[in-house]
Amino acid sequence: MLSGGFLCVLVVGSVLGLTHGDVVSDFNDEPDCIKYFYKGIVPKWGSDTPGAARLCQRFQNRFHFATLYDTHHRIAVYSAYIFEPSNGGGRETRWFVEPQLVNQNWAGEMRDGYWLGQDYPGIYQGDRQALNEDYTKSGFDRGHLNPNGHHAVPSRNATFTLTNVVPQNPKLNQNAWANHESNLAKMFSAQCDKAYVLVGAIPSVDNWIIKNNVQRVNIPEYMWNAYCCIDRNGAPIRSGAAIALNTEQNLVVQYTLSQMVGFLQQYSNTPVGELFQNQCQ
């Protein structure tokens, strides 16, 4: 169960480019970030996560999606995005980190951890976020929450931030979950004028990637996602959700939004409420 209370991260006071930065105290503070939530309504789910950081994911000086990040488990609670048909390309070899999770006064643009380390030698980047080396030889994939295949460049590139990935069972990531993401992309392209998506992970009770005898990254028990499709007039036309146990079982189970709220409620001490305004109806 998740306990109440969370640590607010202060907004950097100075303006950097077109925004205040990528770590905000409230998604509503950034119009170019709140737009990734249907009707501008942020779900209550996960808002009481201890140590939660709200990330407006910035790449090439603009936002591409939003992430509620659990700095204790070092995995995202969820990422929120708007589907875009893919135009190929954008398969990054770099893995980015969030500078403001190291020092709130640093610039908000996501950075390759290596080059950030060159700029600030001797400063450890991993107190409040996962690092690329945490995943090396872990046996787990760097499983995207917000999938790169649901975006055009440069948003595709922006999904390669470590705050948007979780330790995912390779069989699930490369098979059933990948097929689920592909099927959603086809459906969104064919049936929706716009699709709002939430995708997240449920932390395990005590299953971690361990490095040097330190619990570094929580290995989620479940992956989940939910979506709300609207037509060209902004009216909801379709919704759905899915969960997958993060194991070799390699099975994605389809849910309604109401069923998803019931599922998430098992892991919350406070009412989950709606994932989308009026449950996308």
Side-chain angles (χ1 to χ4, degrees):
M1 290 287 188
L2 298 175
S3 59
F6 64 92
L7 175 65
C8 288
V9 182
L10 297 178
V11 182
V12 177
S14 61
V15 175
L16 298 170
L18 59 88
T19 77
H20 290 83
D22 74 346
V23 179
V24 297
S25 58
D26 192 323
F27 286 125
N28 288 284
D29 292 341
E30 294 288 357
D32 287 331
C33 188
I34 194 66
K35 69 182 181 182
Y36 296 110
F37 298 90
Y38 176 59
K39 298 288 189 180
I41 305 300
V42 179
K44 293 180 180 178
W45 163 251
S47 62
D48 60 353
T49 302
R54 288 152 180 82
L55 309 178
C56 296
Q57 303 279 14
R58 186 146 66 94
F59 179 73
Q60 294 186 354
N61 206 33
R62 73 176 179 88
F63 296 141
H64 298 272
F65 59 103
T67 299
L68 182 65
Y69 191 72
D70 180 344
T71 61
H72 169 66
H73 290 105
R74 301 185 184 91
I75 58 174
V77 178
Y78 64 74
S79 285
Y81 66 95
I82 298 172
F83 171 78
E84 302 173 277
S86 173
N87 58 0
R91 184 71 195 182
E92 279 285 349
T93 58
R94 300 169 294 177
W95 286 100
F96 303 117
V97 296
E98 301 301 329
Q100 290 182 355
L101 289 182
V102 184
N103 185 319
Q104 66 178 11
N105 295 312
W106 290 358
E109 180 98 0
M110 62 179 68
R111 292 284 304 280
D112 181 324
Y114 172 80
W115 290 110
L116 184 64
Q118 297 300 301
D119 290 345
Y120 300 97
I123 297 179
Y124 182 56
Q125 301 172 19
D127 282 339
R128 303 180 65 227
Q129 64 188 312
L131 303 177
N132 194 31
E133 53 262 35
D134 292 327
Y135 286 86
T136 303
K137 297 182 180 179
S138 69
F140 290 89
D141 282 359
R142 298 164 182 80
H144 280 68
L145 294 181
N146 177 3
N148 70 91
H150 283 196
H151 295 280
V153 172
S155 293
R156 281 176 65 97
N157 307 74
T159 65
F160 286 80
T161 171
L162 289 160
T163 53
N164 179 52
V165 302
V166 300
Q168 192 170 12
N169 180 280
K171 186 174 182 180
L172 175 66
N173 184 42
Q174 298 168 30
N175 293 278
W177 195 254
N179 292 338
H180 174 61
E181 291 174 338
S182 178
N183 290 337
L184 284 179
K186 293 174 184 176
M187 186 268 289
F188 293 156
S189 295
Q191 300 183 26
C192 311
D193 183 70
K194 186 178 288 187
Y196 293 85
V197 188
L198 296 169
V199 56
I202 304 294
S204 60
V205 174
D206 194 24
N207 192 16
W208 295 74
I209 291 177
I210 297 175
K211 295 288 183 177
N212 299 319
N213 297 316
V214 175
Q215 292 181 334
R216 283 295 305 157
V217 187
N218 186 270
I219 300 165
E221 182 179 4
Y222 282 97
M223 309 286 295
W224 65 272
N225 68 9
Y227 65 87
C228 175
C229 278
I230 61 174
D231 64 18
R232 65 183 59 185
N233 297 314
I237 56 174
R238 180 165 181 164
S239 65
I243 66 167
L245 195 63
N246 189 24
T247 67
E248 292 280 320
Q249 184 178 355
N250 191 36
L251 177 66
V252 175
V253 180
Q254 303 296 324
Y255 273 11
T256 64
L257 288 184
S258 294
Q259 287 174 323
M260 178 57 72
V261 169
F263 171 78
L264 295 176
Q265 191 63 65
Q266 301 174 73
Y267 301 92
S268 178
N269 291 325
T270 58
V272 171
E274 299 174 338
L275 296 177
F276 304 100
Q277 187 193 55
N278 198 30
Q279 283 295 70
C280 193
Q281 295 180 358

